[in-house]
Amino acid sequence: MSRFTSSTAGSTSIVPTSITSLDRYDEDPTFKFTNIHDLFRIIDSISGDSLIFTEISPSNFARVDHERSKRRRKFRWRLYHAESQTLIVAITTRVHEVLHLTIYLQYHARLCRAGTETTWATIGATTFPSGGDFGEGDSTGAPSPQRDRKGSWPTLVVLGGCSLSLNQLRNVMRWWFSASSHDVKIVILAKFDRGQSKIILEKWEEAAATRPEATTTRRAAAVQQMTPVLRQEITIRRDEAMNPASYNVTRGPLVLEFKLLYLRDPGPQETDFIIDIPDLQRYAEAVWRHV
């Protein structure tokens, strides 16, 4: 059995919320779209879990999406961004699936232990359209029955990534908040860095930022604007110098706020959901078993 150590700390930062284009980063495997045949060939040749296609028009994306359904392929459209004509593809490798699903199941297990699993709807990788864009999460869910219907956005989105950069995952995070008109309340990014032997978990929420804006009467008015805020950044490092390997957690545990998930204040016997340090260590151990 692995040995575990831990430490705790806090983290908060703010990033812009507007989505006008997708930044490109050299570390992300990127290909220019040429035709549908080559797109599928490239996807089949990639060893990682993510890649990016550029210059893919909305009409070509519609054809690619149809072909994916026709071939019954299981990879996901992490995000199609119509304005920049950029498609991010998530390939469902075993590590990718364990990376996001195990965190989500940790949360869902707490619902089951409390006997409240029927108050929650698991939505999975449902496709969400928004103004010509399309996004598919890895693990998503929402309160039932409030958001348990077609067209309703999840309150919780979990996104995993191995070969996709953390910066690009953050681009996708911003899209979920913006595209949902802020119906999405929590986005968890799970980034696996094999080279550094670590997993990074980022929990993003939104907060109202205020800025002064002159009115016709020359008086200042408070104008609210929702901005993504990094509430937690948890790092889990694997120490292979130990035998068996140890998993060191910093800035844990992971806390999911009841009010954001359920869109109401907690009642009697209800509280925030805490994924504690031992569970985070077991989570990391599960991920590394599939590397």
Side-chain angles (χ1 to χ4, degrees), residues 86-100:
T86 301
L87 173 64
I88 305 176
V89 180
I91 301 171
T92 55
T93 64
R94 180 166 292 194
V95 175
H96 179 98
E97 295 297 88
V98 174
L99 190 62
H100 70 83

Side-chain angles (χ1 to χ4, degrees), residues 44-57:
D44 289 338
S45 69
I46 291 294
S47 59
D49 72 329
S50 298
L51 69 162
I52 299 171
F53 289 97
T54 62
E55 299 184 34
I56 177 166
S57 67

Side-chain angles (χ1 to χ4, degrees), residues 120-131:
W120 184 260
T122 294
I123 304 172
T126 297
T127 304
F128 287 88
S130 177

Side-chain angles (χ1 to χ4, degrees), residues 93-110 113 138-140 156 158-160 188 190 199 201 236 254 256 275-276 278-290:
T93 64
R94 180 166 292 194
V95 175
H96 179 98
E97 295 297 88
V98 174
L99 190 62
H100 70 83
L101 190 57
T102 306
I103 278 291
Y104 182 83
L105 290 177
Q106 291 275 12
Y107 161 66
H108 197 266
R110 283 152 176 78
R113 286 200 291 268
D138 285 323
S139 292
T140 64
L156 174 64
V158 184
L159 303 171
I188 297 174
I199 298 170
L201 295 174
I236 311 173
L254 177 62
L256 303 178
I275 301 177
D276 58 23
D279 279 336
L280 290 173
Q281 293 160 333
R282 284 187 282 270
Y283 158 70
E285 198 171 25
V287 171
W288 258 278
R289 279 200 302 270
H290 297 280

Side-chain angles (χ1 to χ4, degrees), residues 8 10 23 68 97 108 131 180 208 218 225 227 269:
T8 60
D23 297 330
R68 181 185 66 161
E97 295 297 88
H108 197 266
S180 69
R218 300 180 180 272
Q225 184 178 20
T227 304
Q269 309 302 317

Side-chain angles (χ1 to χ4, degrees), residues 25 40 47 53 55 68 106 109 122 149 160 171 181-182 186 198 217 238 268 280-281:
Y25 296 90
F40 280 87
S47 59
F53 289 97
E55 299 184 34
R68 181 185 66 161
Q106 291 275 12
T122 294
R149 59 187 182 274
N171 274 334
S181 296
H182 315 291
I186 299 175
K198 68 180 180 182
T217 60
R238 175 180 167 92
L280 290 173
Q281 293 160 333

Side-chain angles (χ1 to χ4, degrees), residues 23-42:
D23 297 330
R24 310 230 211 288
Y25 296 90
D26 291 340
E27 63 266 38
D28 297 311
T30 303
F31 302 86
K32 179 181 176 181
F33 175 79
T34 53
N35 57 67
I36 292 176
H37 173 78
D38 282 350
L39 180 142
F40 280 87
R41 178 183 57 80
I42 291 170

